[in-house]
């Protein structure tokens, strides 16, 4: 029996998700809880599991589509349910038989082929698949579009939706190279790519066919139009001119995690008045301490970076200056001073900046912080992190120095009220007691919400963080 499966709420109240890729094909056998697709929401990328044991009957969306939660996602053919349903009565038995009949006559084609068929105006029900188990391939669809012999209907019927444009009109247009100026044109994706490469507006190319009442353009027509235009320009100029090839552009979707990041950044920047305080900590002792502890940490299979030391120093300073561990609730006309110390660590990923949160940093050892942070960072970069692991932060640290650079103006992870940016650790000249020496230093950039935090408090907080980083033994007292 056919079992329809709608896209579930894969996050916390998300409305839609982008289908990144299918993990199964139509005709595949799946077991309950087996991942069938990867979907990216505005919070994270997750796997969607199969709800039943059965066979994938139909994949209803193409990769790259944005699927609303609750819409039909996959149809499964579930063994044994037809007979069970038939026992409920004649009416349900008829429904089961109908479903079985529909399943037996279904068309097997992967999402990419379905997309191509829509683009070329091909009815998949009229195409005979040449792939395994009768699966329809790209070649089958293209052959059908060109009136080939791979369609199940005679050529005259398979092309009934295609009407030839008057040959005289076409020849006249092609010869004069007058832009057609249409609003809509049907063309294969490859043809559109050729048009972009040649700098041609595909709606201006004379059409040689009509499909479903719309003009259809081939790559050859695009090429001919481009060459005709270049020849006309050469004749008009009377002299050879140098030709330049336009670079064009490529696009990528602005949605999912990337759009969420952008919206949050804009909300933060245009809601909270940012002020950034810069300073530099001399960290020779920290470098030495970390070097001593690194080998012991590795013996326990833990990679010890400088970040846990900074997190500990930040928490110690937040206890003295709690206003930086806060949230402004304008509607309630109150500033919430958080008693938890949940530190977010900004991570650069292929999808953009993500901020995993290490909770209760004040209650964990250096090795516990390192282990948890390393795990969360890896999950973020693999885009397998759970949305819950990026919620509940009270203060954020961003390490742009890992890429290079000294100072920046970090944007606050709203609704938090402060964020600390770390520059690159490096040897820099330091003046001490009238002498200049080379010292290991760490540039700091603290951005604050000036509605809540004063500049003096920002400076005092930074000074305290620097004190802990300059003399890391002080952290033993925390």
């Amino acid at each position: 029996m056919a079992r329809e499966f709608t896209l579930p709420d894969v996050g916390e109240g998300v409305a839609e998700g982008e289908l990144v890729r299918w993990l199964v094909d139509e005709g595949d056998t799946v077991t309950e809880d087996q991942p069938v697709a990867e979907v990216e929401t505005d919070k994270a990328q997750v796997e969607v599991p199969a709800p039943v044991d059965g066979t994938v009957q139909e994949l209803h969306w193409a990769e790259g589509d944005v699927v609303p939660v609750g819409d039909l996602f996959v149809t499964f053919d579930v063994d044994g349910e037809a007979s069970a349903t038939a026992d409920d009565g004649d009416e349900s038995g008829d429904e089961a038989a109908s479903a079985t009949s529909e399943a037996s006559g279904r068309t097997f084609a992967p999402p990419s082929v379905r997309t191509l068929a829509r683009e070329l105006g091909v009815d998949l029900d009229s195409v005979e698949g040449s792939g395994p188990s009768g699966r329809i391939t790209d070649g089958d669809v293209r052959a059908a579009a060109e009136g080939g012999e791979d369609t199940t209907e005679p050529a005259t019927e398979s092309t009934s939706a295609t009407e030839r444009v008057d040959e005289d009109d076409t020849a006249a247009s092609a010869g004069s190279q007058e832009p057609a100026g249409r609003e809509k044109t049907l063309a294969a994706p490859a043809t559109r790519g050729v048009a972009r490469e040649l700098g041609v507006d595909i709606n201006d190319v004379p059409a040689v066919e009509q499909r479903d009442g719309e003009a259809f353009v081939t790559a050859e027509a695009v090429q001919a139009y481009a060459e005709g235009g270049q020849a006309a320009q050469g004749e008009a100029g009377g002299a050879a001119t140098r030709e330049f090839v336009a670079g064009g552009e490529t696009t990528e979707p602005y949605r999912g995690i990337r759009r969420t990041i952008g919206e949050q950044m804009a909300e933060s920047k245009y809601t909270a008045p940012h002020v950034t305080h810069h300073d530099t900590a001399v960290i020779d002792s920290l470098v030495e301490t970390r070097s001593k502890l690194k080998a012991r940490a590795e013996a326990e299979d833990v990679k010890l970076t400088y970040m846990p030391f900074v997190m500990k120093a930040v928490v110690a300073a937040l206890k003295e200056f709690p206003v930086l561990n806060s949230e402004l609730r304008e509607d309630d006309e109150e500033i919430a001073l958080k008693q938890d110390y949940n530190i977010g660590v900004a991570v650069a990923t292929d999808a953009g900046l993500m901020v995993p949160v290490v909770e209760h940093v004040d209650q964990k050892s250096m090795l516990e912080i390192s282990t948890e942070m390393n795990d969360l960072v890896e999950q973020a970069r693999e885009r397998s992190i759970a949305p819950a692991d990026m919620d509940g932060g009270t203060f954020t640290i961003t390490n742009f120095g890992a890429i290079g650079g000294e100072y920046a103006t970090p944007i606050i992870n709203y609704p938090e009220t402060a964020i600390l940016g770390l520059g690159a650790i490096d040897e820099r000249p330091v003046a001490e007691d009238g002498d200049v020496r080379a010292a290991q230093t760490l540039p700091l950039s603290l951005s604050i919400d000036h509605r809540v935090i004063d500049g003096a408090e920002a400076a005092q907080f930074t000074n305290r963080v620097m004190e802990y980083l300059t003399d890391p033994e002080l952290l033993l007292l925390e």
Side-chain angles (χ1 to χ4, degrees), residues 58-81:
E58 184 173 359
L59 306 176
H60 293 279
W61 298 85
E63 293 178 354
D65 286 346
V66 176
V67 186
V69 169
D71 274 25
L72 182 59
F73 193 53
V74 187
T75 300
F76 296 97
D77 191 4
V78 183
D79 295 335
E81 289 202 356

Side-chain angles (χ1 to χ4, degrees), residues 111-124 127 136 141:
S112 60
V113 173
R114 293 180 183 276
T115 300
L116 178 63
R118 288 195 297 269
E119 187 76 30
L120 298 181
V122 173
D123 182 4
L124 286 178
V127 179
I136 298 174
V141 172

Side-chain angles (χ1 to χ4, degrees), residues 107 119 157 170 193 230 338 345 347 402 478:
T107 301
E119 187 76 30
E157 295 183 11
T170 304
Q230 293 166 2
K338 302 301 181 72
V345 179
V347 179
E478 296 298 323

